[in-house]
């Protein structure tokens, strides 16, 4: 693995692949939408599920501002986030891994790229997803919302993932499924691939500016060697 990574770094190919989790490797965006809706409902905040879904990909620090406005009464923010964490945790034993996700990670690692997970989720949620994926042997490192000051679309998580991978922005590719992923990667100077498995329309995701959009992990795996993960940098 180390030799392959060394070779990749010297032939112009990326040396690190930074993966989002929810909606990219596990089919959980709608679970987050549901559990955020339930948490908000508990505190008499009625937000349409569609609006919540479009905010998934942000961490709790950004999502509540986005949904409820920055001028809101913030007294229940911590309670809302705790309620969401508790509701979502009931799914930890049955998180649905997207078809081809584990194979994509293995194939990417086999080509010499360091795999770093970069999620706006909590450390506990990241651990649950890693357990569901069952490929820890090829994951170099992971970041979570608990380890940064600001989550996506801020660049902090992507920048920390770069540091964990030992890579410069031009040596990495970020793979995500939301507009927030694309914006965070762009602010960190990292090339981004978009996947359509998070429920965002192709036109909207494409407009955010990823270099390529694929239908699913299986679709990206099928085109891996001609994708930005496999191509030499120009």
């Amino acid at each position: 693995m180390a030799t392959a990574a060394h070779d990749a770094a010297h032939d112009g190919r990326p040396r690190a692949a930074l993966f989002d989790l929810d909606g990219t490797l596990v089919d959980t965006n709608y679970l987050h939408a549901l559990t955020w809706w339930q948490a908000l409902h508990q505190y008499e905040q009625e937000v349409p599920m569609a609006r919540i879904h479009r905010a998934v990909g942000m961490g709790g620090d950004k999502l509540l501002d986005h949904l409820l406005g920055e001028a809101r009464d913030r007294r229940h923010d911590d309670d809302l986030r705790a309620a969401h964490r508790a509701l979502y945790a009931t799914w930890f034993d049955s998180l649905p891994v997207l078809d081809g996700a584990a194979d994509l990670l293995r194939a990417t690692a086999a080509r010499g790229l360091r795999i770093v997970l970069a999620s706006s989720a909590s450390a506990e949620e990241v651990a649950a997803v890693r357990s569901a994926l069952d490929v820890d042997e090829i994951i170099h490192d992971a970041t979570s919302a608990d380890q940064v000051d600001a989550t996506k679309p801020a660049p902090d998580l992507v920048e920390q993932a770069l540091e964990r991978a030992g890579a410069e922005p031009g040596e990495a590719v970020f793979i995500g499924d939301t507009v927030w992923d694309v914006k965070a990667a762009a602010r960190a100077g990292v090339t981004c691939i978009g996947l359509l498995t998070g429920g965002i329309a192709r036109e909207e995701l494409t407009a955010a500016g990823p270099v390529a959009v694929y239908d699913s992990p299986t679709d990206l795996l099928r085109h891996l060697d001609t994708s930005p993960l496999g191509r030499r940098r120009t």
Side-chain angles (χ1 to χ4, degrees):
M1 184 76 70
T3 299
H6 176 84
D7 291 344
H10 285 80
D11 72 358
R13 289 181 290 128
R15 62 181 300 181
L18 317 177
F19 281 87
D20 173 58
L21 297 181
D22 293 301
T24 299
L25 298 175
V26 286
D27 192 11
T28 50
N29 281 14
Y30 292 98
L31 294 180
H32 276 297
L34 172 63
T35 51
W36 271 116
W37 181 88
Q38 291 173 318
L40 289 160
H41 183 71
Q42 287 179 12
Y43 289 88
E44 299 181 345
Q45 298 289 341
E46 303 302 332
V47 181
M49 196 88 71
R51 281 196 65 217
I52 299 172
H53 169 249
R54 292 169 66 82
V56 171
M58 297 178 170
D61 60 321
K62 303 287 186 183
L63 183 141
L64 291 178
D65 281 349
H66 184 76
L67 293 178
L68 302 179
E70 296 186 8
R72 70 185 182 282
D73 182 345
R74 297 173 179 266
R75 285 178 297 174
H76 295 301
D77 280 11
D78 288 343
D79 294 330
L80 276 165
R81 285 188 282 263
H84 166 257
R85 285 195 299 270
L87 289 161
Y88 184 72
T90 64
W91 293 94
F92 279 177
D93 291 335
S94 55
L95 295 178
V97 176
L98 285 161
D99 287 345
D103 290 338
L104 173 61
L105 292 172
R106 292 189 187 98
T108 303
R111 284 159 173 78
L113 283 75
R114 285 182 173 175
I115 306 295
V116 177
L117 309 179
S119 173
S120 290
S122 68
E124 184 182 26
E125 291 168 19
V126 171
V129 172
R130 291 182 70 161
S131 178
L133 288 167
D134 194 25
V135 291
D136 259 8
E137 70 279 2
I138 54 89
I139 293 175
H140 179 73
D141 212 331
T143 66
S144 72
D146 298 343
Q147 299 164 325
V148 295
D149 292 331
T151 60
K152 303 167 192 171
D156 301 36
L157 280 163
V158 183
E159 291 170 346
Q160 186 175 98
L162 284 171
E163 183 178 341
R164 299 284 180 89
E168 297 297 322
E171 298 174 324
V173 177
F174 188 89
I175 303 90
D177 65 290
T178 69
V179 169
W180 317 117
D181 292 322
V182 181
K183 289 183 175 182
R187 291 171 183 174
V190 176
T191 294
C192 185
I193 290 173
L195 298 184
L196 295 176
T197 37
I200 303 301
R202 181 183 295 274
E203 293 78 9
E204 183 177 358
L205 192 58
T206 299
V211 296
V213 175
Y214 297 89
D215 290 339
S216 64
T218 299
D219 187 30
L220 176 54
L221 176 59
R222 189 179 302 119
H223 298 95
L224 190 57
D225 290 327
T226 57
S227 78
L229 285 169
R231 291 198 302 260
R232 288 174 172 80
R233 300 188 300 274
T234 58

